[in-house]
């Protein structure tokens, strides 16, 4: 029995659809421990490294802590042949890239036109009286929280040691709600409660498919970065032993496979890691409308370096801002 620490919902469903049947055909069983990567990391810490799963989904903001904790074992890359389809930065001895989201400004095209609001290009373009109380932003503890918070810090001229400019920029948005799950933004768009949201492009795409006239903007951060990437990783826990380690490597290879990466991206609006899968996504005009699929343009996205970041301090400052 292979246990996977991962998100629930459609995320888990994608694996149930394609990966689980293959593993069951080999005589194995896959169980899922669902929750955000933050919640699953808390389980590992509480167990003093004895993880309730063999493989864990890890966010980019957790990489430094995970590598320093000793919770991960080395990956035998010879057992992950699909690594050849990933970019070099997405592979190391303890972690392998699995997906990335493109964090965007998602906005109501029809309502912006009706109100005479031009297409936004930067985050500051959302600071308008007509949009006050009509914008949704990810809570810092949500899946998209740290990626977007760090992007606002960069766009406002701050850095990892001075996040105050980013907090001030967020505060100026007069946010209606700080969302915990991306699906909340879809419901808010449908109800008309919001006209814009900071969310990953997949949720914007799903909102469009749900019949709401939205578009996505990869924000200009003013420093050469256009758009924001949140990178997902997979790691094998050091507490995983025996046959489960072999099974974990098999799982990593399947996750990076072209067909699964296309399925995953199509259902969830993610950007694949697999280069061949990215090429196939270009065949879909809807995906081209919402996602950046040119590798040269993907390279311009902000991938924030969390080395040396005091996440607890960021959280404290965030909580003080939100409570005002």
């Amino acid at each position: 029995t292979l246990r996977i620490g991962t998100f629930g919902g459609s995320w888990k469903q994608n694996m149930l659809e394609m990966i689980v049947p293959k593993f069951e055909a080999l005589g194995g069983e896959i169980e899922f421990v669902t929750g955000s990567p933050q919640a699953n990391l808390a389980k590992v810490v509480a167990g003093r490294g004895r993880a309730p799963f063999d493989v864990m989904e890890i966010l980019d903001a957790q990489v430094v802590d995970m590598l320093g904790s000793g919770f991960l074992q080395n990956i035998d890359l010879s057992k992950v042949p699909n690594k050849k389809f990933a970019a070099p930065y997405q592979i190391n001895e303890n972690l392998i890239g699995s997906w990335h989201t493109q964090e965007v400004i998602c906005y109501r095209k029809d309502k912006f036109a009706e109100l005479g609001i031009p297409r936004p290009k930067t985050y500051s373009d959302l600071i308008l009286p007509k949009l006050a109380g009509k914008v949704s932003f990810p809570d810092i503890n949500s899946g998209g929280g740290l990626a977007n918070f760090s992007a606002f810090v960069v766009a406002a001229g701050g850095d990892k040691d001075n996040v105050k400019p980013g907090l001030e920029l967020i505060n100026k948005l007069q946010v209606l709600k700080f969302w915990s799950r991306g699906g909340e933004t879809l419901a808010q768009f449908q109800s008309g409660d919001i006209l814009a949201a900071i969310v990953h492009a997949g949720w914007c795409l799903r909102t469009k498919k749900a019949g709401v006239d939205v578009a996505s903007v990869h924000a200009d951060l003013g420093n050469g970065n256009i758009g924001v990437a949140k990178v997902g990783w997979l790691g094998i826990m050091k507490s995983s032993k025996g046959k489960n380690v072999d099974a974990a490597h098999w799982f990593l290879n399947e996750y990076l496979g072209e067909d699964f990466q296309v399925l995953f991206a199509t259902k969830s609006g993610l950007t694949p890691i697999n280069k061949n899968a990215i090429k196939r996504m270009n065949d879909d005009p809807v995906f081209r409308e919402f996602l950046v699929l040119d590798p040269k343009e993907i390279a311009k996205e902000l991938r924030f370096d969390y080395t040396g970041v005091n996440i607890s301090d960021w959280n404290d400052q965030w909580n003080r801002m939100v409570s005002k």
Side-chain angles (χ1 to χ4, degrees):
T1 300
L2 182 69
R3 294 176 176 85
I4 310 297
T6 186
F7 301 93
S10 62
W11 210 278
K12 170 184 168 183
Q13 189 59 42
N14 292 324
M15 288 176 262
L16 284 170
E17 182 174 337
M18 184 171 286
I19 295 181
V20 170
K22 291 183 179 180
F23 195 65
E24 289 178 342
L26 296 172
E29 180 182 355
I30 292 181
E31 293 181 355
F32 295 96
V33 179
T34 57
S36 70
Q38 297 95 320
N40 280 336
L41 176 56
K43 295 168 189 172
V44 180
V45 172
R48 298 183 179 182
R50 294 186 297 276
F53 33 73
D54 301 288
V55 177
M56 178 179 167
E57 297 257 17
I58 298 165
L59 294 180
D60 43 12
Q62 298 174 305
V63 167
V64 174
D65 287 340
M66 289 298 293
L67 293 179
S69 67
F71 293 151
L72 299 174
Q73 61 180 275
N74 288 353
I75 296 173
D76 183 349
L77 293 173
S78 69
K79 296 180 179 179
V80 190
N82 283 330
K83 68 180 184 299
K84 65 184 178 182
F85 299 114
Y89 82 87
Q90 294 161 339
I91 302 166
N92 63 62
E93 63 180 10
N94 293 114
L95 293 166
I96 197 158
S98 48
W99 50 266
H100 93 255
T101 60
Q102 297 181 6
E103 307 294 322
V104 300
I105 299 170
C106 184
Y107 73 100
R108 284 284 301 263
K109 285 176 63 177
D110 52 350
K111 293 298 182 180
F112 269 52
E114 182 182 313
L115 294 170
I117 303 173
R119 176 183 180 274
K121 296 180 181 178
T122 69
Y123 297 134
S124 295
D125 292 340
L126 298 177
I127 304 171
L128 296 170
K130 292 178 181 178
L131 294 178
K134 292 289 185 178
V135 178
S136 185
F137 192 92
D139 183 83
I140 196 169
N141 292 307
S142 69
L146 286 170
N148 284 294
F149 177 58
S150 61
F152 267 66
V153 170
V154 170
D159 56 40
K160 63 182 67 175
D161 298 314
N162 177 24
V163 299
K164 185 177 179 182
L167 289 166
E168 291 174 345
L169 180 58
I170 294 168
N171 197 40
K172 289 177 182 177
L173 290 181
Q174 299 186 51
V175 170
L176 171 67
K177 183 181 180 183
F178 294 100
W179 56 261
S180 298
R181 295 171 53 255
E184 294 175 41
T185 61
L186 190 159
Q188 290 171 328
F189 273 121
Q190 289 179 313
S191 67
D193 289 338
I194 62 172
L195 300 182
I198 306 300
V199 70
H200 84 66
W203 284 113
C204 200
L205 187 153
R206 291 190 215 184
T207 302
K208 175 77 170 183
K209 289 184 175 180
V212 184
D213 188 16
V214 292
S216 68
V217 171
H218 300 262
D220 185 344
L221 304 189
N223 65 338
N225 290 124
I226 307 294
V228 181
K230 181 174 84 250
V231 182
W233 301 85
L234 290 172
I236 302 174
M237 310 310 296
K238 186 168 284 186
S239 55
S240 184
K241 304 294 182 184
K243 292 182 179 179
N244 281 41
V245 176
D246 290 332
H249 282 87
W250 177 92
F251 178 86
L252 264 57
N253 192 59
E254 288 296 317
Y255 205 114
L256 266 63
E258 180 179 336
D259 288 341
F260 178 71
Q261 290 267 306
V262 170
L263 171 73
F264 206 1
T266 302
K267 294 290 183 69
S268 302
L270 305 176
T271 306
I273 292 295
N274 186 298
K275 296 174 183 178
N276 290 343
I278 293 175
K279 291 178 182 178
R280 284 171 59 180
M281 300 301 292
N282 268 298
D283 295 334
D284 190 320
V286 177
F287 281 90
R288 291 201 305 270
E289 179 183 350
F290 285 85
L291 297 168
V292 171
L293 296 172
D294 182 340
K296 292 181 180 178
E297 296 303 312
I298 291 175
K300 295 179 183 179
E301 296 172 348
L302 173 70
R303 295 198 301 271
F304 194 82
D305 180 5
Y306 294 92
T307 304
V309 170
N310 186 334
I311 300 294
S312 295
D313 180 59
W314 279 20
N315 275 304
D316 289 343
Q317 293 187 60
W318 170 274
N319 290 331
R320 287 196 294 271
M321 183 269 290
V322 170
S323 64
K324 289 181 179 179

